[in-house]
Every structure is written in C-alpha cells, then in structure tokens.
Amino acid sequence: MGFGPSTGDPQSGVKAVIDLIDLLYPERSTPSLKRWLEAICEPLLTAHAPLAFDTIARFLSQPEFRQYILAQPGIADKWHTLWYAYEGSIDPEKLDPDLAWLIHDRMAVLKDTTLDMDNPPPLSNS
C-alpha cells in the first residue's frame, strides 16, 4: 500500500507520511525517525517513485536503486551529500532503531497480506 501527497509537492508527501506515523505509532515517532523518513521519502517522491514501505526498504538495501533515485532531476543537494556517504546496503537499525522497527513491521504485514492473497479461503456456497 502506498501513501503520499495529493499534490505534486514532495514536502507535502513527507508531511503526510510523518503525520500518519505520528497518528499510528506515537511511541515510535521520534525526532530521529522523522528526520530519516524525510531523508528517504523526499528523494523518492521527487523522483516520482511509488512511496510504499517496500520501496523504502529497497532504497536502503539496494545501492543501485538508491543511486538511480538520487540521479533523478530535482533531488536536493542535501540528500546527495547525505546518501552518497553510505556505500552498499544500509541497515536501518544503524540509522535509527524505530526506523528499523517500522520497516520490519510494515514489511511483515505486507508479506502476511501477500500470503493471504495467494491462499484465500474457499468461498462458501451458502
């Protein structure tokens, strides 16, 4: 499931994500988590990538994908400076424990949902 702005403005999308996390996970919504979500979501939204937790996980785990996103027009220089300092796959736990928890939790739900859709219960003929 994706989420993001209703306008073409990446900053409004970042705000929407942070507001959603504040609402759903107030105990996890720390200043550090919010900064990392901004650092990930703004480049993804600017590059018009689908904003979903699997895309966020891919941005961190696949350096080629991260480079592709950062090469898109309009990505702010501050994100180039930040992300080019990281080589290879990035462990979200090393960035922020709440970020790691959030990604792991949402990816587990996505996996469970996908499994449920692959093996739906039989339809009743009643």
Side-chain angles (χ1 to χ4, degrees), residues 1-123:
M1 178 174 145
F3 46 88
S6 57
T7 70
D9 176 36
Q11 288 78 24
S12 70
V14 170
K15 183 176 179 341
V17 170
I18 290 171
D19 288 349
L20 186 61
I21 299 305
D22 281 342
L23 180 67
L24 297 175
Y25 307 102
E27 70 284 357
R28 299 278 184 178
S29 190
T30 63
S32 175
L33 172 68
K34 292 174 185 182
R35 284 190 301 273
W36 283 114
L37 284 174
E38 178 186 14
I40 296 166
C41 295
E42 187 176 317
L44 289 174
L45 288 168
T46 302
H48 304 287
L51 188 56
F53 281 100
D54 55 344
T55 310
I56 291 170
R58 185 176 177 204
F59 182 84
L60 294 174
S61 67
Q62 297 179 8
E64 301 82 17
F65 180 67
R66 190 168 54 250
Q67 296 298 328
Y68 172 78
I69 293 296
L70 294 172
Q72 300 307 302
I75 304 296
D77 288 339
K78 66 182 178 180
W79 305 131
H80 289 273
T81 302
L82 171 69
W83 291 115
Y84 284 134
Y86 291 92
E87 294 182 13
S89 181
I90 301 170
D91 179 359
E93 184 71 37
K94 292 182 179 177
L95 299 178
D96 181 88
D98 290 312
L99 176 65
W101 178 88
L102 182 64
I103 292 171
H104 175 75
D105 180 70
R106 296 292 84 208
M107 293 301 291
V109 168
L110 180 63
K111 181 180 176 186
D112 290 347
T113 302
T114 303
L115 290 175
D116 289 345
M117 293 170 93
D118 288 343
N119 298 306
L123 294 175

